[in-house]
Structure formats: structure tokens, C-alpha cells
Amino acid sequence: MMTPATTTGPEQTIADARTRIDALDDRIIGLIQERMAVSTVVQQTRIASGGRRVNLSREMEILGRYREALGKPGTPLAMTLLELCRGRI
């Protein structure tokens, strides 16, 4: 019995994987856009109630979570995500 990997050539395997990657990227971009919108609500609410736009202790939690889940590269990824969501500080 042949497995799917042996019935298709490497070009098709790569093309199929790239199609999946493109679909995953579309989902990731959509989730980032959704996160940006939610972050805007949090910032606006915090400012309206007399707080600061940025909560540094919360950002440190997020950085730690990404670093724990993704290793060292998780930190710059989280920093980029935070900057996208709250702007530069």
C-alpha cells in the first residue's frame, strides 16, 4: 500500500504545503487585526477612566508568555505584536 507521500512528487507536496501556509498566514493576519481592535478598546477604556495608555506589567506578562511558548524568538515576535497593537512607546 502506498502512502500519500509516495504517490505525489516533491513539487506537489511543496505546493500543497505552501497553500496551507498561505491559509495559515491569512488566519494569523486576521487574528492580529482582531487583537489590534480589542487592544484599542482596552487602551481607550483605560485612558477614559484616568489610567495610562500602556500597562507595562501586562506587557511583561505577554512577553513572558510568548518566550515560554516559542523560545527566545518569541520575545521579538511579542514586541512586534505589542507595537502593532498599542503603537510605539
Side-chain angles (χ1 to χ4, degrees):
M1 181 170 157
M2 298 187 109
T3 62
T6 60
T7 58
T8 61
E11 297 84 8
Q12 187 60 50
T13 300
I14 291 168
D16 291 346
R18 286 182 175 161
T19 298
R20 180 136 190 254
I21 287 170
D22 291 345
L24 289 167
D25 284 344
D26 288 343
R27 288 173 48 198
I28 291 167
I29 290 166
L31 289 170
I32 291 170
Q33 290 170 331
E34 182 179 350
R35 190 188 193 288
M36 291 169 68
V38 173
S39 181
T40 298
V41 170
V42 169
Q43 289 179 54
Q44 290 172 345
T45 304
R46 192 182 303 123
I47 291 168
S49 66
R52 299 178 61 172
R53 182 174 67 92
V54 176
N55 181 332
L56 294 178
S57 64
R58 172 68 176 147
E59 290 199 359
M60 293 306 293
E61 289 175 28
I62 293 166
L63 291 171
R65 193 158 101 215
Y66 274 73
R67 184 176 50 251
E68 184 178 315
L70 303 173
K72 188 177 178 181
T75 301
L77 177 61
M79 287 297 295
T80 299
L81 185 61
L82 289 169
E83 186 175 324
L84 280 169
C85 292
R86 55 115 163 96
R88 290 186 174 267
I89 54 172

